[in-house]
Amino acid sequence: MASIRKQIIELLEKEECDARMISQRLGIREKEAYEHIPHIIRTVSAMGKTFILEAAQCIVCGYQFRDRKKVSKPGRCPACKKERIESPRFSIK
């Protein structure tokens, strides 16, 4: 059986996913999926592929978290202060 990171890479090469989708498909915690992403970014770039991070977005006002350094889901929107945030999505090309 392949390692969790290899499984995540294979999944992201096939389709765009957020951390919840990754956790459901691979049977790991959502938090654990977020912990693997920075390592996967480095691995994928060393393989000569492109890791695509679609920024998290506020569902209420549409604010996009483009300049955010963390890959995890933000807790609150700085623009409208609501907590309805769409998770960031990941894919590999």
Side-chain angles (χ1 to χ4, degrees):
M1 180 177 215
S3 71
I4 294 293
R5 290 183 186 160
K6 287 182 183 178
Q7 290 178 26
I8 294 172
I9 290 171
E10 290 173 5
L11 178 62
L12 295 178
E13 287 176 331
K14 293 176 188 171
E15 63 182 300
E16 182 180 79
C17 298
D18 62 11
R20 177 169 283 162
M21 293 169 70
I22 293 169
S23 70
Q24 289 173 346
R25 298 235 168 79
L26 300 181
I28 61 175
R29 296 181 338 239
E30 187 173 340
K31 182 178 179 181
E32 185 179 346
Y34 281 123
E35 291 170 356
H36 287 295
I37 295 297
H39 301 282
I40 290 170
I41 292 170
R42 287 194 298 272
T43 302
V44 167
S45 66
M47 294 168 57
K49 298 183 180 183
T50 305
F51 186 89
I52 300 169
L53 170 65
E54 186 179 312
Q57 183 174 341
C58 178
I59 296 171
V60 177
C61 71
Y63 178 84
Q64 291 191 338
F65 294 83
R66 293 179 194 258
D67 298 329
R68 185 173 165 89
K69 301 290 186 230
K70 294 181 182 179
V71 295
S72 61
K73 180 180 173 182
R76 184 180 304 178
C77 176
C80 70
K81 308 298 185 211
K82 302 292 184 192
E83 295 179 0
R84 297 195 57 207
I85 308 293
E86 185 177 302
S87 297
R89 300 178 65 81
F90 317 106
S91 64
I92 298 172
K93 300 291 180 202

